[in-house]
């Protein structure tokens, strides 16, 4: 199959020691600890525009009790079981860990009795939930009431109130941006996690002026490929601001809900939480302004020499190859207490696009990675065997990544699919592979029985990559049972990470968001951090399990966690 105008930056993390999911024991331990997370909320009543009495639960960060400064807030919309321990714990986490005011809102109403969930597709419970799924106006009315209430709180910055929905609440978030997306003074950002998008839903009534992110699971039939394509169509036609989608391989619906025993996935939960955290920090104006992510000039290379510079021990050329091209290596082991280039530190190999712009970008990217992360980086022209490099320079064989851009993506994707890269033998173990272009033919060498399961991160520009091509690639990856993560960025075309591109394709926001994700993958897979279970609390403070905790009904939604780094970019 030909993937037209589909350039991918995929970082495939290959590791036999670490899979896309935690072990069953680790997952269970983390799930149990999350179930025991202490709740710190107070009940607050409010009403919607029709006077329906609602009751939410407010959690505030400790700093708000000693400071008069107003802070951002997050309104949490409940799943189909109502506002119970799960939403209250999420509110407490947001207040404790992110420093925002958090409000677990009420979709159904204080006096509403939720029918018993007997499972299946019909009955009173399903009819009740459909009242909200199929009535975007009503759902939006309830969300708007919660937003208005939170904006009225004295310690909240009314211009920085986000909405966050899980499962049914995630569906509500989609309804809200479609119905009230043009309203001034409403939500400032929207996060939808594993929503139910099965079947048709109301299209946008006007423009969508609310930055949004959608986090879904690759195995969630409630957010299947066609549903995501429809969502993208709506956002592309109506949104005036940035939006993105994150999709996680082999992850089912309700993967963030620790009360859903078989669906919960600790790693996907943590990756989606981190993506939400950085997204909200960006929209609330709290992101770090890191100039190392904004190199837009070739003159940056003039700052480097073979002498030490800002913690980087040296950089040097290797080669030349038979065509006179030379590789480019940066050693940054000083950050690991290892200034000698022979020291074993994590290594990132970059296969550049062969254009002049692409080669320059690859060298700048190599310096960026070395300076920021402390890794050794190597820009390979593709004809110099990896073995020549590895035999001459020390490296940690368990911590090697590969990034492929443009024409360099062909070899990277071949390796990801289970083949060998020209000049790079299979004996060399890569933990991460980043691909920036999908070749004309996708051949899955790897089979489902293979132990070779790379971690693939795909960062794709919505304007540059046709959704049909993305769906086809995901189908191939799913058939291989590959570990992958696909992130799509609005207003991003071909070469959206290449700040040297003269065609105007560079998108600073999408590039920074994608590099943040790449960094989180590298640091996780290289063992620099990983998700941790919260400290268990005594039984006396354990939260009761919510009713209907299984969440296995057509009303739940899906989220995804992807363990691969790939950027769809047409070159």
């Amino acid at each position: 199959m030909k993937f037209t105008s589909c350039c991918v930056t995929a970082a495939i993390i290959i590791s036999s020691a670490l899979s896309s999911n935690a072990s069953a024991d680790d997952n269970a331990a983390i799930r149990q600890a999350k179930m025991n997370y202490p709740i710190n909320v107070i009940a607050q009543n409010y009403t919607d525009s029709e006077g329906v009495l609602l009751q939410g639960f407010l959690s505030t960060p400790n700093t708000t009790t000693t400071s008069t400064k107003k802070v951002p807030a997050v309104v949490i919309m409940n799943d189909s079981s109502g506002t119970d321990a799960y939403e209250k714990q999420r509110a407490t986490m947001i207040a404790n860990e992110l420093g925002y005011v958090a409000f677990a809102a009420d979709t159904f109403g204080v006096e509403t009795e939720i029918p018993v969930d007997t499972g299946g597709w019909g009955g009173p419970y399903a009819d009740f939930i459909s009242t909200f799924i199929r009535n975007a106006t009503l759902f939006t009315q309830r969300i708007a009431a919660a937003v208005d209430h939170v904006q009225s709180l004295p310690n909240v910055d009314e211009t920085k109130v986000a909405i966050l929905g899980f499962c049914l609440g995630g569906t509500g978030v989609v309804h809200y941006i479609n119905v009230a997306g043009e309203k001034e003074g409403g939500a400032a950002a929207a996060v939808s996690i594993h929503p139910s998008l099965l079947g048709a839903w109301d299209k946008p009534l006007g423009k969508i002026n609310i930055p949004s992110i959608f986090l879904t699971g690759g195995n969630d039939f409630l957010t299947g490929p066609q549903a995501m394509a429809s969502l993208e169509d709506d956002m592309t036609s109506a949104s005036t601001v940035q939006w993105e989608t994150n999709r996680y391989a082999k992850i089912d619906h309700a993967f963030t809900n620790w009360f859903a025993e078989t669906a919960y996935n600790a790693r996907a939960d943590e990756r989606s939480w981190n993506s939400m955290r950085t997204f909200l920090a960006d929209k609330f104006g709290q992101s770090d302004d890191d100039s190392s992510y904004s190199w837009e000039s070739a003159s940056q290379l003039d700052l480097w020499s073979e002498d030490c510079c800002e913690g980087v021990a040296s950089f040097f050329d290797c080669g030349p190859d038979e065509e006179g091209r030379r590789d480019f290596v940066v050693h940054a082991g000083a950050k690991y207490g290892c200034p000698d280039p022979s020291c074993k530190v994590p290594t990132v190999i970059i296969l550049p696009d062969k254009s002049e712009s692409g080669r320059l970008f690859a060298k700048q990217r190599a310096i960026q990675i070395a300076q920021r992360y402390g890794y050794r980086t190597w820009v390979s022209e593709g004809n110099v065997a990896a073995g020549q490099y590895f035999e001459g320079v020390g490296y940690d064989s368990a911590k090697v990544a590969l990034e492929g851009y443009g024409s360099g993506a062909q070899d990277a994707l071949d390796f990801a699919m289970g083949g060998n890269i020209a000049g790079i033998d299979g004996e060399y173990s890569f933990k991460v592979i980043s691909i920036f272009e999908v070749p004309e033919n996708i051949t899955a060498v790897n089979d489902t029985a293979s132990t070779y399961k790379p971690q693939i991160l795909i960062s794709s520009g919505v304007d540059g990559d046709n959704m049909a091509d993305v769906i086809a690639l995901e189908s191939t990856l799913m058939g291989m049972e590959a570990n992958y993560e696909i992130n799509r960025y609005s207003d991003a075309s071909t070469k959206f990470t290449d700040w040297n591109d003269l065609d105007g394709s560079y998108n600073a926001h999408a590039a920074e968001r994608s590099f943040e994700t790449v960094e989180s993958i590298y640091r996780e897979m290289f063992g620099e951090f990983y998700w941790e279970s919260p400290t268990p609390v005594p039984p006396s403070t354990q939260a009761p399990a919510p009713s209907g905790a299984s969440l296995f009904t057509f009303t739940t939604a899906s989220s995804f966690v992807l363990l691969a780094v790939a950027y769809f970019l047409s070159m």
Side-chain angles (χ1 to χ4, degrees):
M1 169 174 288
K2 181 178 177 63
F3 286 72
T4 59
S5 70
C6 193
C7 293
V8 175
T9 304
I12 299 170
I13 303 165
I14 303 167
S15 173
S16 59
L18 181 62
S19 68
S20 63
N21 299 315
S23 70
D25 289 343
D26 288 343
N27 200 76
I30 292 171
R31 173 177 171 266
Q32 186 61 47
K34 291 286 186 71
M35 290 172 64
N36 294 338
Y37 194 93
I39 293 172
N40 183 15
V41 299
I42 58 173
Q44 290 192 342
N45 291 344
Y46 62 107
T47 59
D48 71 0
S49 59
E50 295 183 345
V52 175
L53 181 62
L54 306 163
Q55 185 178 74
F57 298 86
L58 183 72
S59 186
T60 57
N62 291 333
T63 54
T64 60
T65 61
T66 59
S67 172
T68 58
K69 181 180 178 180
K70 294 186 175 184
V71 299
V74 178
V75 173
I76 303 168
M77 301 311 301
N78 58 267
D79 60 31
S80 58
S81 62
T83 305
D84 49 32
Y86 177 73
E87 286 78 14
K88 295 172 186 177
Q89 288 172 321
R90 283 291 182 189
T92 306
M93 287 178 181
I94 288 172
N96 289 348
E97 299 174 20
L98 305 186
Y100 305 146
V101 169
F103 187 68
D106 179 7
T107 300
F108 303 143
V110 173
E111 299 176 357
T112 301
E113 182 176 348
I114 304 174
V116 176
D117 181 6
T118 58
W121 293 89
Y125 177 78
D127 292 342
F128 171 76
I129 297 301
S130 292
T131 302
F132 295 91
I133 288 183
R134 304 306 176 197
N135 190 335
T137 300
L138 175 61
F139 216 147
T140 299
Q141 178 179 303
R142 297 293 168 85
I143 297 176
V147 171
D148 290 344
H149 174 73
V150 171
Q151 287 178 324
S152 71
L153 299 176
N155 56 341
V156 169
D157 182 342
E158 65 274 12
T159 67
K160 296 179 179 179
V161 176
I163 54 174
L164 162 65
F166 297 91
C167 297
L168 175 65
T171 306
V173 168
V174 174
H175 285 328
Y176 180 90
I177 63 174
N178 284 343
V179 173
E182 238 176 358
K183 176 187 175 184
E184 294 185 5
V191 181
S192 177
I193 300 183
H194 45 77
S196 172
L197 300 178
L198 191 64
W201 61 88
D202 291 355
K203 298 300 180 182
L205 298 182
K207 295 298 182 182
I208 297 175
N209 301 327
I210 304 171
S212 306
I213 184 171
F214 309 90
L215 304 129
T216 65
N219 280 359
D220 187 353
F221 75 100
L222 294 171
T223 50
Q226 294 308 317
M228 296 307 294
S230 295
L231 177 65
E232 282 204 6
D233 286 344
D234 290 348
M235 297 302 295
T236 300
S237 64
S239 180
T240 63
V241 290
Q242 296 149 346
W243 58 272
E244 63 186 81
T245 66
N246 295 3
R247 189 165 183 80
Y248 306 108
K250 298 187 284 191
I251 299 299
D252 296 322
H253 184 70
F255 67 84
T256 65
N257 192 323
W258 39 81
F259 291 105
E261 180 175 3
T262 59
Y264 181 67
N265 183 283
R267 186 181 186 280
D269 179 23
E270 185 62 24
R271 285 203 59 76
S272 60
W273 174 267
N274 183 68
S275 187
M276 179 199 73
R277 176 187 63 80
T278 57
F279 175 81
L280 291 179
D282 178 56
K283 301 314 168 190
F284 290 156
Q286 299 173 324
S287 295
D288 293 334
D289 181 15
D290 189 343
S291 60
S292 68
Y293 272 151
S294 303
W295 291 3
E296 298 172 297
S297 170
S299 64
Q300 292 291 343
L301 282 178
D302 297 336
L303 300 176
W304 298 84
S305 67
E306 292 184 354
D307 298 326
C308 289
C309 182
E310 297 186 28
V312 178
S314 64
F315 86 93
F316 51 90
D317 287 340
C318 297
D321 65 7
E322 63 270 22
E323 297 183 23
R325 295 175 303 194
R326 305 180 70 89
D327 285 10
F328 178 85
V329 178
V330 180
H331 175 68
K335 292 194 174 185
Y336 274 73
C338 182
D340 188 328
S342 65
C343 289
K344 291 185 176 182
V345 298
T347 299
V348 177
I349 300 173
I350 299 174
L351 305 182
D353 180 64
K354 296 304 185 286
S355 66
E356 181 178 353
S357 170
R359 286 176 170 141
L360 175 59
F361 167 79
K363 290 184 177 182
Q364 292 171 324
R365 171 68 174 152
I367 294 173
Q368 181 189 66
I369 292 172
Q371 182 185 38
R372 183 174 177 86
Y373 313 155
Y375 303 156
R376 173 185 290 109
T377 52
W378 171 42
V379 179
S380 171
E381 288 289 355
N383 291 320
V384 179
Q388 296 176 11
Y389 170 72
F390 287 138
E391 290 168 4
V393 181
Y395 79 108
D396 187 336
S397 61
K399 298 178 180 179
V400 182
L402 183 66
E403 291 186 2
Y405 294 83
S407 53
Q410 172 80 58
D411 286 341
L413 186 61
D414 284 348
F415 197 91
M417 293 299 183
N420 289 328
I421 300 176
I424 299 181
D425 298 329
E427 64 185 276
Y428 299 104
S429 176
F430 292 95
K431 203 174 186 68
V432 182
I433 302 176
S434 302
I435 304 170
F436 286 80
E437 183 176 324
V438 175
E440 294 185 0
N441 296 299
I442 305 298
T443 303
V445 179
N446 192 356
D447 59 33
T448 57
S450 174
T451 58
Y452 173 74
K453 299 295 181 186
Q455 303 294 325
I456 307 169
L457 175 60
I458 302 170
S459 299
S460 167
V462 170
D463 293 350
D465 300 317
N466 188 290
M467 186 60 174
D469 294 340
V470 178
I471 290 173
L473 176 59
E474 183 179 14
S475 177
T476 300
L477 294 172
M478 291 177 69
M480 296 168 53
E481 296 186 3
N483 301 318
Y484 62 87
E485 180 175 336
I486 301 176
N487 299 329
R488 299 265 284 164
Y489 302 96
S490 67
D491 303 316
S493 186
T494 62
K495 301 183 182 179
F496 72 86
T497 62
D498 186 354
W499 42 70
N500 301 307
D501 181 64
L502 300 179
D503 296 330
S505 297
Y506 176 60
N507 182 309
H509 176 265
E512 181 172 348
R513 288 287 295 162
S514 61
F515 287 150
E516 284 176 348
T517 304
V518 172
E519 178 180 359
S520 71
I521 286 285
Y522 284 172
R523 294 201 184 282
E524 176 189 340
M525 292 301 155
F526 292 161
E528 295 171 42
F529 71 75
Y530 197 56
W531 39 257
E532 299 178 355
S533 59
T535 303
V537 296
S540 61
T541 60
Q542 290 181 3
S547 60
S550 67
L551 298 179
F552 297 123
T553 72
F554 75 96
T555 61
T556 56
S558 69
S559 270
F560 21 134
V561 175
L562 311 174
L563 291 183
V565 183
Y567 297 75
F568 282 93
L569 305 173
S570 301
M571 308 302 284

